[in-house]
Amino acid sequence: MKLGVYNAILHDRPLPEALKVIADLGLTGIELNTGGFLPPVHVPTMDQILTSDAARDDYLAVFEGTGVSIAGLNCNGNPLHPKREIGEKHAEDIRRSIRLAHRLGQDRVVTMSGLPGGEPGATVPNWIVNAWNSAALDVLDYQWGIVAGFWKETDRLAADHGVKVALELHPQNVVFNTADVRKLIELTGATNVGVELDASHLFWQQMDPVAVVRELGPLIFHAAAKDVRINAEHAALYGVLDNSFRRLSPDEERTNLGGAEWANEWPKDSAWDFVALGRGHDTAFWAEFLRALQEVDPEMACNIEHEDVELGRIEGLEVAADVLKEAAASLV
């Protein structure tokens, strides 16, 4: 398996420096952000690469001799957002990333299924978490119609370019669990749309990532190594769907998610947190996770995503890399 890093945490430095960090960690892959919620910081010549062989070759030359190669593209966003300035941009980012992957000799693009509004004319997405009433199922029927149409079209584009699109099973998306994946494939007949197995979003849903890998099998195209710690004392009081987020003001550092939407501050007494590998689940778990992925595809890429706010950028990557390498070594 190819073990690497999703590059968003290294957007604070130029690409050559990011590649050195990854090489120094003893890892060999970099998953490059190419749009969506985040700008393509490490692919500044994307437009030129799409049209110029010289620009493409110049870009690929940056990786030569580094010991690190491209291990997928990532354009996580909401391509179905009802506000056109967000939805259309993120949808086009996916299409451009598919074409870019083909140009760069890559065959994996990571993104999210998307989340529409709940009815015609809506201006904000509507995530149905528990469809106990008939109106909620009406919303889901409407949303699935939009989802199916978009992903049928996108699947054709991906197939034409020899690219597999891997959907992260992420909250605030229509597709966020195993049943949703099966439904998407059934509705679309997709051959080139599957799953990026990020264990972290399954942990807080009380899903078993290893069981999900073995259930979905060849529909798993790509993987992310990110851990979750359940804070039992807070989860007991608030549950894992706690909404105690704080809106950040314009004079505070915050991440734009498209248009006039911004990421909020995480709850102080959170029921769960994203943590570096080993701080939520031990090395034995991650070995079993890698083993399950290897059974699906021995060449699958598994890239660290660092969002542990208690650890610095490099410190968090070092902690995660040590656990991931130890887990991989135990499979030999």
Side-chain angles (χ1 to χ4, degrees):
M1 297 183 70
K2 178 177 286 188
L3 306 181
V5 172
Y6 170 44
N7 74 321
I9 194 64
L10 298 173
H11 276 181
D12 65 328
R13 65 202 69 208
L15 177 58
E17 292 183 21
L19 296 176
K20 184 178 186 308
V21 167
I22 295 170
D24 288 347
L25 293 169
L27 304 175
T28 61
I30 182 169
E31 183 178 315
L32 295 165
N33 186 266
T34 53
F37 291 136
L38 298 175
V41 171
H42 287 154
V43 199
T45 58
M46 185 188 302
D47 290 338
Q48 290 75 32
I49 293 170
L50 287 169
T51 58
S52 164
D53 289 352
R56 177 200 59 198
D57 294 345
D58 287 346
Y59 183 72
L60 291 174
V62 175
F63 298 86
E64 293 178 4
T66 65
V68 178
S69 59
I70 303 173
L73 307 183
N74 186 308
C75 57
N76 278 332
N78 185 357
L80 305 180
H81 197 295
K83 289 182 179 175
R84 291 181 60 85
E85 65 268 27
I86 300 176
E88 276 301 313
K89 178 188 180 302
H90 290 182
E92 181 57 24
D93 283 349
I94 292 173
R95 292 186 285 265
R96 292 175 76 230
S97 294
I98 290 170
R99 294 192 292 268
L100 180 67
H102 178 71
R103 292 283 295 165
L104 294 175
Q106 294 295 305
D107 61 3
R108 293 292 187 273
V109 170
V110 177
T111 187
M112 298 171 181
S113 65
L115 182 65
E119 58 188 1
T123 60
V124 295
N126 185 350
W127 187 35
I128 300 297
V129 179
N130 190 314
W132 68 274
N133 62 327
S134 60
L137 287 179
D138 292 340
V139 169
L140 281 171
D141 287 345
Y142 168 75
Q143 292 178 321
W144 272 107
I146 296 172
V147 169
F150 177 81
W151 285 106
K152 278 183 183 178
E153 178 183 344
T154 305
D155 180 65
R156 286 194 295 269
L157 179 68
D160 288 345
H161 287 80
V163 171
K164 297 289 185 76
V165 179
L167 304 181
E168 184 174 354
L169 303 183
H170 194 283
Q172 295 200 34
N173 281 269
V174 172
V175 178
F176 63 93
N177 64 28
T178 309
D180 298 331
V181 174
R182 295 290 192 196
K183 182 170 182 175
L184 178 67
I185 302 305
E186 180 182 348
L187 287 174
T188 62
T191 58
N192 285 57
V193 175
V195 172
E196 186 235 22
L197 207 293
D198 180 341
S200 67
H201 300 297
L202 307 188
F203 287 139
W204 69 262
Q205 293 185 70
Q206 301 298 299
M207 295 165 66
D208 178 350
V210 173
V212 171
V213 173
R214 292 191 166 127
E215 169 66 21
L216 292 178
L219 287 174
I220 306 295
F221 295 162
H222 201 74
K226 185 170 65 169
D227 210 345
V228 158
R229 179 186 63 224
I230 302 294
N231 302 317
E233 69 278 21
H234 302 314
L237 297 176
Y238 312 131
V240 296
L241 296 178
D242 179 34
N243 262 334
S244 301
F245 292 82
R246 182 178 73 87
R247 188 191 309 273
L248 293 166
S249 63
D251 60 346
E252 295 179 278
E253 183 178 351
R254 56 182 185 168
T255 300
N256 182 255
L257 301 176
E261 294 192 4
W262 304 84
N264 296 319
E265 184 181 67
W266 199 257
K268 295 293 186 187
D269 296 327
S270 55
W272 56 272
D273 292 301
F274 293 123
V275 293
L277 267 61
R279 303 187 75 204
H281 297 78
D282 61 18
T283 303
F285 168 82
W286 291 106
E288 189 64 17
F289 179 69
L290 292 179
R291 181 175 291 108
L293 294 172
Q294 192 174 58
E295 290 169 2
V296 174
D297 178 5
E299 302 299 320
M300 189 178 300
C302 183
N303 297 321
I304 294 167
E305 183 175 2
H306 174 30
E307 292 188 10
D308 190 329
V309 297
E310 296 174 347
L311 300 175
R313 292 174 188 263
I314 306 304
E315 179 187 16
L317 289 175
E318 289 172 342
V319 169
D322 286 347
V323 171
L324 192 61
K325 289 187 295 183
E326 182 180 350
S330 72
L331 302 183
V332 177

